Structures are given as C-alpha cells and as structure tokens.
Amino acid sequence: MTTVERNGERALTAPLATPTDLGANATRDITAAMNLILADVFALYLKTKNFHWHVSGPHFRDYHLMLDEQGDELYAMTDPIAERVRKVGGRTLTSIGHIARTQRVLDNDAEYVQPLDMLAELCDDSKNLVARLREAHNVCDEYHDTATASLLEEWIDQAERRTWFLFESSRRG
C-alpha cells in the first residue's frame, strides 16, 4: 500500500496486481500490444463516427447506416480490449490524451471529405488494423495467451468484413 494526497486528504491506495499465471514479460508485451490496439480502435471509432456525421450525397443513407454500424462494432471492442489488459495484469489507457499519444490511425480533421474518399480512407485504416491485430495475435501466441488470441481472431474477422464492405462501397463504377 502507498499513501497519496488528493484534495488535501491522504488516501491509501493498493497497487494494481491482478493475479495471472503469465510472467512479467508476457504481461508487459501483451499489455503493450493490446494498448496499441485499443488506441487505434478508439481513433478509428471516432474517425468512423466523424465520417458518419458528415457524409453527404446521393448514397447518404447507405453510407450513413454502414458507418454507424461499423462505429458501433468498433466501440464494442474497446471494453473487452481494456478488460483483457487488466486480466493479464497490465494497466490500460487512461485518457483521450493517452489515446492520442498512442494511436497509429491518422486523424482526419478536414472540413469536408468526399464520401468515396471517406470510404477509401476507412478501408485503408481497417486493412491496417487487420495487420496490427495479427501482430498482436503473434505476441499472444508467443506467450500462449489463448484467451486474448481468441478475441483477436474474432476482431480480425470483423475488421476484414469492414474492409470488404468499405472497399466494395467505394468502388467507382
């Protein structure tokens, strides 16, 4: 236990020490891999919602609904990722700033993006996420972390589906 001071009051805090049979190296490496994934998923979620909110044009309804569905799927990944990090004994991301410092997905703050360019950009981001999920899977395989690897396999399939839908939707006549 350590003592910290908050708002002029002293409080005892216990270190985060989740029991796990994984070694310190496994905890460190799996935590690092999964926190990178978590930051990327949050960044891709927000980019997807940005495009969902700002899409326009003749295919508005189809794109708007697809991006909303994809955003929901991405957001649904965030809690299981963070909880997996905690289950293996690690600490996870703590703030928007932490996400911004960690993410590898590039933001798009443009005032206007053509709908097909939105889809193409998200398609590339989704394809990159698949590759990063596979990298994280390799880390889990190295340490025989089948539970995290199993989750990653499901998310790889989902990300491949999002990539496929974005690719097909962005094809030019």
Side-chain angles (χ1 to χ4, degrees), residues 44 66 70 73 119-120 122-131 156-170:
L44 186 53
M66 179 179 65
Q70 291 193 1
E73 198 172 79
L119 300 182
L122 290 174
C123 182
D124 287 343
D125 289 336
S126 294
K127 190 171 78 173
N128 290 334
L129 181 61
V130 170
I156 288 167
D157 185 57
Q158 290 174 7
E160 287 175 334
R161 182 177 188 271
R162 286 191 301 274
T163 302
W164 173 39
F165 274 53
L166 290 161
F167 171 77
E168 290 298 337
S169 297
S170 65

mmCIF file of all heavy atoms in Angstrom, residues 44 66 70 73 119-120 122-131 156-170:
data_model
loop_
_atom_site.group_PDB
_atom_site.id
_atom_site.type_symbol
_atom_site.label_atom_id
_atom_site.label_comp_id
_atom_site.label_asym_id
_atom_site.label_seq_id
_atom_site.Cartn_x
_atom_site.Cartn_y
_atom_site.Cartn_z
ATOM 1 N N LEU A 44 -10.023 4.959 -34.671
ATOM 2 C CA LEU A 44 -10.797 4.557 -35.840
ATOM 3 C C LEU A 44 -12.294 4.697 -35.579
ATOM 4 O O LEU A 44 -13.056 5.085 -36.470
ATOM 5 C CB LEU A 44 -10.440 3.123 -36.245
ATOM 6 C CG LEU A 44 -11.059 2.617 -37.543
ATOM 7 C CD1 LEU A 44 -10.795 3.564 -38.715
ATOM 8 C CD2 LEU A 44 -10.541 1.216 -37.850
ATOM 9 N N MET A 66 -24.117 2.326 -42.834
ATOM 10 C CA MET A 66 -22.965 1.434 -42.775
ATOM 11 C C MET A 66 -21.923 1.968 -41.783
ATOM 12 O O MET A 66 -21.390 1.207 -40.972
ATOM 13 C CB MET A 66 -22.321 1.280 -44.155
ATOM 14 C CG MET A 66 -21.086 0.378 -44.134
ATOM 15 S SD MET A 66 -20.303 0.141 -45.749
ATOM 16 C CE MET A 66 -19.740 1.799 -46.131
ATOM 17 N N GLN A 70 -20.564 0.212 -38.410
ATOM 18 C CA GLN A 70 -19.145 -0.048 -38.205
ATOM 19 C C GLN A 70 -18.627 0.661 -36.953
ATOM 20 O O GLN A 70 -17.808 0.105 -36.216
ATOM 21 C CB GLN A 70 -18.344 0.367 -39.439
ATOM 22 C CG GLN A 70 -18.626 -0.546 -40.612
ATOM 23 C CD GLN A 70 -17.649 -0.388 -41.752
ATOM 24 O OE1 GLN A 70 -16.716 0.396 -41.701
ATOM 25 N NE2 GLN A 70 -17.865 -1.155 -42.806
ATOM 26 N N GLU A 73 -19.588 -1.389 -33.981
ATOM 27 C CA GLU A 73 -18.759 -2.589 -33.884
ATOM 28 C C GLU A 73 -17.390 -2.256 -33.288
ATOM 29 O O GLU A 73 -16.872 -2.987 -32.442
ATOM 30 C CB GLU A 73 -18.607 -3.196 -35.282
ATOM 31 C CG GLU A 73 -18.149 -4.617 -35.298
ATOM 32 C CD GLU A 73 -18.220 -5.205 -36.697
ATOM 33 O OE1 GLU A 73 -17.309 -4.925 -37.513
ATOM 34 O OE2 GLU A 73 -19.197 -5.934 -36.975
ATOM 35 N N LEU A 119 -14.717 6.621 -47.507
ATOM 36 C CA LEU A 119 -14.761 5.158 -47.511
ATOM 37 C C LEU A 119 -13.384 4.571 -47.811
ATOM 38 O O LEU A 119 -12.969 3.595 -47.177
ATOM 39 C CB LEU A 119 -15.799 4.657 -48.512
ATOM 40 C CG LEU A 119 -17.252 5.105 -48.291
ATOM 41 C CD1 LEU A 119 -18.152 4.484 -49.340
ATOM 42 C CD2 LEU A 119 -17.730 4.800 -46.893
ATOM 43 N N ALA A 120 -12.675 5.168 -48.764
ATOM 44 C CA ALA A 120 -11.344 4.661 -49.115
ATOM 45 C C ALA A 120 -10.379 4.817 -47.947
ATOM 46 O O ALA A 120 -9.574 3.917 -47.666
ATOM 47 C CB ALA A 120 -10.825 5.388 -50.353
ATOM 48 N N LEU A 122 -11.160 4.971 -44.701
ATOM 49 C CA LEU A 122 -11.532 3.999 -43.672
ATOM 50 C C LEU A 122 -11.168 2.581 -44.093
ATOM 51 O O LEU A 122 -10.797 1.762 -43.247
ATOM 52 C CB LEU A 122 -13.028 4.095 -43.361
ATOM 53 C CG LEU A 122 -13.474 5.356 -42.629
ATOM 54 C CD1 LEU A 122 -14.998 5.394 -42.526
ATOM 55 C CD2 LEU A 122 -12.836 5.462 -41.258
ATOM 56 N N CYS A 123 -11.245 2.295 -45.379
ATOM 57 C CA CYS A 123 -10.856 0.975 -45.876
ATOM 58 C C CYS A 123 -9.373 0.738 -45.604
ATOM 59 O O CYS A 123 -8.990 -0.323 -45.093
ATOM 60 C CB CYS A 123 -11.162 0.876 -47.377
ATOM 61 S SG CYS A 123 -10.788 -0.732 -48.097
ATOM 62 N N ASP A 124 -8.536 1.720 -45.912
ATOM 63 C CA ASP A 124 -7.103 1.600 -45.635
ATOM 64 C C ASP A 124 -6.836 1.450 -44.141
ATOM 65 O O ASP A 124 -6.024 0.619 -43.729
ATOM 66 C CB ASP A 124 -6.342 2.807 -46.173
ATOM 67 C CG ASP A 124 -6.226 2.809 -47.687
ATOM 68 O OD1 ASP A 124 -6.446 1.751 -48.316
ATOM 69 O OD2 ASP A 124 -5.931 3.886 -48.247
ATOM 70 N N ASP A 125 -7.527 2.255 -43.338
ATOM 71 C CA ASP A 125 -7.353 2.171 -41.882
ATOM 72 C C ASP A 125 -7.771 0.800 -41.363
ATOM 73 O O ASP A 125 -7.111 0.235 -40.482
ATOM 74 C CB ASP A 125 -8.172 3.253 -41.173
ATOM 75 C CG ASP A 125 -7.624 4.660 -41.377
ATOM 76 O OD1 ASP A 125 -6.410 4.794 -41.664
ATOM 77 O OD2 ASP A 125 -8.411 5.611 -41.243
ATOM 78 N N SER A 126 -8.851 0.270 -41.898
ATOM 79 C CA SER A 126 -9.329 -1.044 -41.458
ATOM 80 C C SER A 126 -8.363 -2.143 -41.865
ATOM 81 O O SER A 126 -8.101 -3.075 -41.096
ATOM 82 C CB SER A 126 -10.722 -1.321 -42.036
ATOM 83 O OG SER A 126 -11.669 -0.413 -41.497
ATOM 84 N N LYS A 127 -7.824 -2.029 -43.073
ATOM 85 C CA LYS A 127 -6.835 -3.001 -43.540
ATOM 86 C C LYS A 127 -5.585 -2.952 -42.656
ATOM 87 O O LYS A 127 -5.040 -3.989 -42.278
ATOM 88 C CB LYS A 127 -6.478 -2.723 -44.996
ATOM 89 C CG LYS A 127 -5.654 -3.808 -45.642
ATOM 90 C CD LYS A 127 -5.519 -3.595 -47.136
ATOM 91 C CE LYS A 127 -4.488 -2.526 -47.379
ATOM 92 N NZ LYS A 127 -4.137 -2.332 -48.778
ATOM 93 N N ASN A 128 -5.161 -1.747 -42.284
ATOM 94 C CA ASN A 128 -4.015 -1.603 -41.379
ATOM 95 C C ASN A 128 -4.328 -2.177 -40.003
ATOM 96 O O ASN A 128 -3.459 -2.784 -39.370
ATOM 97 C CB ASN A 128 -3.596 -0.143 -41.265
ATOM 98 C CG ASN A 128 -2.971 0.376 -42.540
ATOM 99 O OD1 ASN A 128 -2.411 -0.377 -43.324
ATOM 100 N ND2 ASN A 128 -3.079 1.671 -42.757
ATOM 101 N N LEU A 129 -5.558 -1.989 -39.551
ATOM 102 C CA LEU A 129 -5.942 -2.553 -38.256
ATOM 103 C C LEU A 129 -5.861 -4.078 -38.291
ATOM 104 O O LEU A 129 -5.406 -4.691 -37.321
ATOM 105 C CB LEU A 129 -7.348 -2.099 -37.848
ATOM 106 C CG LEU A 129 -7.841 -2.618 -36.501
ATOM 107 C CD1 LEU A 129 -6.950 -2.148 -35.354
ATOM 108 C CD2 LEU A 129 -9.287 -2.199 -36.253
ATOM 109 N N VAL A 130 -6.282 -4.683 -39.393
ATOM 110 C CA VAL A 130 -6.182 -6.143 -39.520
ATOM 111 C C VAL A 130 -4.733 -6.573 -39.320
ATOM 112 O O VAL A 130 -4.446 -7.507 -38.558
ATOM 113 C CB VAL A 130 -6.722 -6.641 -40.882
ATOM 114 C CG1 VAL A 130 -6.378 -8.109 -41.097
ATOM 115 C CG2 VAL A 130 -8.229 -6.434 -40.981
ATOM 116 N N ALA A 131 -3.811 -5.898 -39.983
ATOM 117 C CA ALA A 131 -2.389 -6.249 -39.866
ATOM 118 C C ALA A 131 -1.903 -6.088 -38.424
ATOM 119 O O ALA A 131 -1.161 -6.932 -37.911
ATOM 120 C CB ALA A 131 -1.555 -5.385 -40.808
ATOM 121 N N ILE A 156 -10.263 -9.789 -35.943
ATOM 122 C CA ILE A 156 -9.669 -9.827 -37.276
ATOM 123 C C ILE A 156 -10.767 -10.086 -38.302
ATOM 124 O O ILE A 156 -10.844 -9.400 -39.333
ATOM 125 C CB ILE A 156 -8.549 -10.892 -37.361
ATOM 126 C CG1 ILE A 156 -7.320 -10.427 -36.571
ATOM 127 C CG2 ILE A 156 -8.185 -11.183 -38.815
ATOM 128 C CD1 ILE A 156 -6.285 -11.521 -36.322
ATOM 129 N N ASP A 157 -11.627 -11.053 -38.027
ATOM 130 C CA ASP A 157 -12.725 -11.360 -38.936
ATOM 131 C C ASP A 157 -13.640 -10.150 -39.116
ATOM 132 O O ASP A 157 -14.036 -9.820 -40.241
ATOM 133 C CB ASP A 157 -13.504 -12.576 -38.424
ATOM 134 C CG ASP A 157 -14.578 -13.010 -39.399
ATOM 135 O OD1 ASP A 157 -14.244 -13.292 -40.572
ATOM 136 O OD2 ASP A 157 -15.765 -13.055 -38.993
ATOM 137 N N GLN A 158 -13.978 -9.479 -38.021
ATOM 138 C CA GLN A 158 -14.833 -8.290 -38.107
ATOM 139 C C GLN A 158 -14.158 -7.184 -38.916
ATOM 140 O O GLN A 158 -14.804 -6.528 -39.742
ATOM 141 C CB GLN A 158 -15.160 -7.770 -36.709
ATOM 142 C CG GLN A 158 -16.090 -8.636 -35.912
ATOM 143 C CD GLN A 158 -16.261 -8.133 -34.489
ATOM 144 O OE1 GLN A 158 -15.791 -7.062 -34.115
ATOM 145 N NE2 GLN A 158 -16.950 -8.924 -33.672
ATOM 146 N N ALA A 159 -12.877 -6.959 -38.676
ATOM 147 C CA ALA A 159 -12.150 -5.902 -39.391
ATOM 148 C C ALA A 159 -12.028 -6.238 -40.879
ATOM 149 O O ALA A 159 -12.105 -5.338 -41.725
ATOM 150 C CB ALA A 159 -10.776 -5.680 -38.762
ATOM 151 N N GLU A 160 -11.843 -7.513 -41.194
ATOM 152 C CA GLU A 160 -11.808 -7.912 -42.603
ATOM 153 C C GLU A 160 -13.157 -7.658 -43.270
ATOM 154 O O GLU A 160 -13.214 -7.218 -44.427
ATOM 155 C CB GLU A 160 -11.415 -9.386 -42.733
ATOM 156 C CG GLU A 160 -9.961 -9.644 -42.443
ATOM 157 C CD GLU A 160 -9.591 -11.119 -42.452
ATOM 158 O OE1 GLU A 160 -10.477 -11.979 -42.189
ATOM 159 O OE2 GLU A 160 -8.420 -11.421 -42.712
ATOM 160 N N ARG A 161 -14.237 -7.895 -42.534
ATOM 161 C CA ARG A 161 -15.569 -7.637 -43.080
ATOM 162 C C ARG A 161 -15.771 -6.139 -43.310
ATOM 163 O O ARG A 161 -16.285 -5.728 -44.359
ATOM 164 C CB ARG A 161 -16.641 -8.170 -42.131
ATOM 165 C CG ARG A 161 -18.066 -7.995 -42.637
ATOM 166 C CD ARG A 161 -19.068 -8.619 -41.653
ATOM 167 N NE ARG A 161 -20.400 -8.632 -42.176
ATOM 168 C CZ ARG A 161 -21.286 -7.630 -42.032
ATOM 169 N NH1 ARG A 161 -20.955 -6.543 -41.369
ATOM 170 N NH2 ARG A 161 -22.501 -7.732 -42.543
ATOM 171 N N ARG A 162 -15.348 -5.310 -42.338
ATOM 172 C CA ARG A 162 -15.462 -3.859 -42.516
ATOM 173 C C ARG A 162 -14.638 -3.408 -43.721
ATOM 174 O O ARG A 162 -15.105 -2.591 -44.523
ATOM 175 C CB ARG A 162 -15.007 -3.116 -41.258
ATOM 176 C CG ARG A 162 -15.985 -3.200 -40.108
ATOM 177 C CD ARG A 162 -15.625 -2.249 -38.982
ATOM 178 N NE ARG A 162 -14.310 -2.469 -38.430
ATOM 179 C CZ ARG A 162 -14.030 -3.346 -37.447
ATOM 180 N NH1 ARG A 162 -15.005 -4.072 -36.915
ATOM 181 N NH2 ARG A 162 -12.801 -3.480 -36.995
ATOM 182 N N THR A 163 -13.443 -3.950 -43.871
ATOM 183 C CA THR A 163 -12.576 -3.606 -45.005
ATOM 184 C C THR A 163 -13.261 -3.966 -46.318
ATOM 185 O O THR A 163 -13.288 -3.163 -47.267
ATOM 186 C CB THR A 163 -11.226 -4.343 -44.884
ATOM 187 O OG1 THR A 163 -10.612 -3.989 -43.633
ATOM 188 C CG2 THR A 163 -10.292 -3.982 -46.028
ATOM 189 N N TRP A 164 -13.815 -5.140 -46.373
ATOM 190 C CA TRP A 164 -14.505 -5.617 -47.572
ATOM 191 C C TRP A 164 -15.679 -4.701 -47.930
ATOM 192 O O TRP A 164 -15.830 -4.272 -49.075
ATOM 193 C CB TRP A 164 -14.956 -7.053 -47.330
ATOM 194 C CG TRP A 164 -15.834 -7.678 -48.367
ATOM 195 C CD1 TRP A 164 -15.741 -7.549 -49.725
ATOM 196 C CD2 TRP A 164 -16.940 -8.540 -48.123
ATOM 197 N NE1 TRP A 164 -16.722 -8.288 -50.349
ATOM 198 C CE2 TRP A 164 -17.469 -8.914 -49.382
ATOM 199 C CE3 TRP A 164 -17.526 -9.057 -46.974
ATOM 200 C CZ2 TRP A 164 -18.560 -9.768 -49.508
ATOM 201 C CZ3 TRP A 164 -18.611 -9.911 -47.108
ATOM 202 C CH2 TRP A 164 -19.113 -10.253 -48.353
ATOM 203 N N PHE A 165 -16.524 -4.398 -46.937
ATOM 204 C CA PHE A 165 -17.683 -3.550 -47.194
ATOM 205 C C PHE A 165 -17.250 -2.159 -47.660
ATOM 206 O O PHE A 165 -17.847 -1.588 -48.575
ATOM 207 C CB PHE A 165 -18.564 -3.452 -45.939
ATOM 208 C CG PHE A 165 -19.563 -4.560 -45.811
ATOM 209 C CD1 PHE A 165 -19.180 -5.893 -45.886
ATOM 210 C CD2 PHE A 165 -20.896 -4.279 -45.602
ATOM 211 C CE1 PHE A 165 -20.107 -6.925 -45.755
ATOM 212 C CE2 PHE A 165 -21.834 -5.293 -45.460
ATOM 213 C CZ PHE A 165 -21.429 -6.611 -45.539
ATOM 214 N N LEU A 166 -16.229 -1.598 -47.024
ATOM 215 C CA LEU A 166 -15.752 -0.273 -47.405
ATOM 216 C C LEU A 166 -15.170 -0.297 -48.813
ATOM 217 O O LEU A 166 -15.416 0.611 -49.615
ATOM 218 C CB LEU A 166 -14.727 0.231 -46.397
ATOM 219 C CG LEU A 166 -15.310 0.595 -45.027
ATOM 220 C CD1 LEU A 166 -14.217 0.634 -43.973
ATOM 221 C CD2 LEU A 166 -16.059 1.922 -45.102
ATOM 222 N N PHE A 167 -14.413 -1.352 -49.118
ATOM 223 C CA PHE A 167 -13.835 -1.485 -50.461
ATOM 224 C C PHE A 167 -14.929 -1.564 -51.512
ATOM 225 O O PHE A 167 -14.916 -0.837 -52.513
ATOM 226 C CB PHE A 167 -12.925 -2.719 -50.521
ATOM 227 C CG PHE A 167 -12.474 -3.030 -51.925
ATOM 228 C CD1 PHE A 167 -11.473 -2.274 -52.529
ATOM 229 C CD2 PHE A 167 -13.061 -4.072 -52.635
ATOM 230 C CE1 PHE A 167 -11.071 -2.553 -53.817
ATOM 231 C CE2 PHE A 167 -12.641 -4.354 -53.934
ATOM 232 C CZ PHE A 167 -11.660 -3.593 -54.529
ATOM 233 N N GLU A 168 -15.886 -2.450 -51.319
ATOM 234 C CA GLU A 168 -16.945 -2.627 -52.309
ATOM 235 C C GLU A 168 -17.804 -1.370 -52.433
ATOM 236 O O GLU A 168 -18.236 -1.020 -53.538
ATOM 237 C CB GLU A 168 -17.814 -3.838 -51.960
ATOM 238 C CG GLU A 168 -17.113 -5.180 -52.139
ATOM 239 C CD GLU A 168 -16.689 -5.460 -53.591
ATOM 240 O OE1 GLU A 168 -17.258 -4.881 -54.526
ATOM 241 O OE2 GLU A 168 -15.781 -6.287 -53.768
ATOM 242 N N SER A 169 -18.026 -0.700 -51.326
ATOM 243 C CA SER A 169 -18.861 0.512 -51.356
ATOM 244 C C SER A 169 -18.139 1.689 -52.008
ATOM 245 O O SER A 169 -18.792 2.622 -52.500
ATOM 246 C CB SER A 169 -19.284 0.903 -49.955
ATOM 247 O OG SER A 169 -20.086 -0.111 -49.380
ATOM 248 N N SER A 170 -16.817 1.668 -52.026
ATOM 249 C CA SER A 170 -16.056 2.801 -52.559
ATOM 250 C C SER A 170 -15.582 2.573 -54.000
ATOM 251 O O SER A 170 -14.943 3.451 -54.567
ATOM 252 C CB SER A 170 -14.842 3.090 -51.672
ATOM 253 O OG SER A 170 -13.922 2.020 -51.704
#
